[in-house]
Amino acid sequence: MAVLLTTGQAAAELDCAITTLRRLIRADVLPGLSHRGVRVMIPLDVVQALHQRPHAPLHHLDAREIAVLRVDAARHADEDDHTWTGYAPHLGADRLLTSLRGWWRCDPTSIATAGLLPVTLSGYVVAVLTCLDTWQRNDQGRYAFPNARLAGYITDLATPTMELTSTRQDDRALATLLLGTRLQSHSGGPIAYVTTAG
């Protein structure tokens, strides 16, 4: 019989805040969840798999610095160009791309120079965007990347299980390198900048 942990116990095992773990639960990237009354129960082996996820091998990237898009679990958005914001694999590739490619306060030149944008949820890379050399700016000083490609995304973070959505070999290689890894970043907004030591 599988050992099940409460959200609080799982967060303690992962040394993270309960709110951080709840983002992963709401995004539906953890397998085997069950409910005991109002409590969400998480299998111990899933928690151990998350704990053992390697750190992103940023030293393999060509850029000295990359931007990281830090998102929450997907929720409905009332915007002209998209109806969802944030991350959840059930959105599928097309809606996921639309929800992730803007609008943020950022340095678009830096993002374009790096050539990729890892998307993290609770510190884990759940998607990778490429083809970021064209951008738009709105009246609020936020930027979007209308030609961005979704190189791939995670459907199950524990295994991890990836959907490689680009046909380009370089995109698929970047997605395979980064998806499911841990990538910590710190920022007051959705975009953070991380040095790669590359």
Side-chain angles (χ1 to χ4, degrees):
M1 187 173 168
V3 176
L4 300 175
L5 304 183
T6 64
T7 308
Q9 290 168 331
E13 286 286 321
L14 293 169
D15 194 26
C16 71
I18 291 176
T19 52
T20 301
L21 184 58
R22 282 187 181 141
R23 285 191 201 103
L24 297 175
I25 293 168
R26 287 198 325 270
D28 196 24
V29 293
L30 303 181
L33 301 183
S34 58
H35 294 269
R36 232 179 245 167
V38 296
R39 286 183 166 182
V40 175
M41 306 301 293
I42 306 168
L44 175 60
D45 62 338
V46 169
V47 175
Q48 291 171 333
L50 291 181
H51 190 64
Q52 292 164 5
R53 290 260 65 79
H55 291 280
L58 300 182
H59 58 283
H60 287 296
L61 302 176
D62 293 334
R64 288 188 181 168
E65 180 185 77
I66 60 167
V68 176
L69 174 59
R70 301 145 41 93
V71 297
D72 203 341
R75 58 185 168 80
H76 279 285
D78 189 19
E79 304 290 339
D80 291 338
D81 60 341
H82 61 281
T83 54
W84 290 89
T85 184
Y87 185 81
H90 71 76
L91 293 179
D94 292 341
R95 285 191 296 177
L96 206 48
L97 175 59
T98 304
S99 77
L100 297 175
R101 65 184 177 197
W103 299 86
W104 329 292
R105 293 192 187 284
C106 64
D107 176 358
T109 307
S110 175
I111 292 174
T113 300
L116 79 156
L117 183 63
V119 179
T120 63
L121 178 70
S122 297
Y124 295 91
V125 180
V126 291
V128 176
L129 300 179
T130 60
C131 194
L132 302 155
D133 50 355
T134 303
W135 59 84
Q136 298 170 334
R137 184 180 187 273
N138 69 11
D139 295 339
Q140 289 78 47
R142 298 175 190 273
Y143 294 88
F145 296 82
N147 297 332
R149 279 194 307 268
L150 181 63
Y153 64 99
I154 286 287
T155 58
D156 172 344
L157 190 54
T159 311
T161 305
M162 308 173 192
E163 290 284 338
L164 300 180
T165 47
S166 175
T167 56
R168 291 176 55 108
Q169 196 55 45
D170 52 348
D171 284 356
R172 294 168 76 88
L174 283 172
T176 303
L177 180 71
L178 296 174
L179 286 174
T181 61
R182 286 196 266 181
L183 177 50
Q184 294 299 323
S185 58
H186 304 283
S187 171
I191 295 285
Y193 297 91
V194 176
T195 56
T196 63

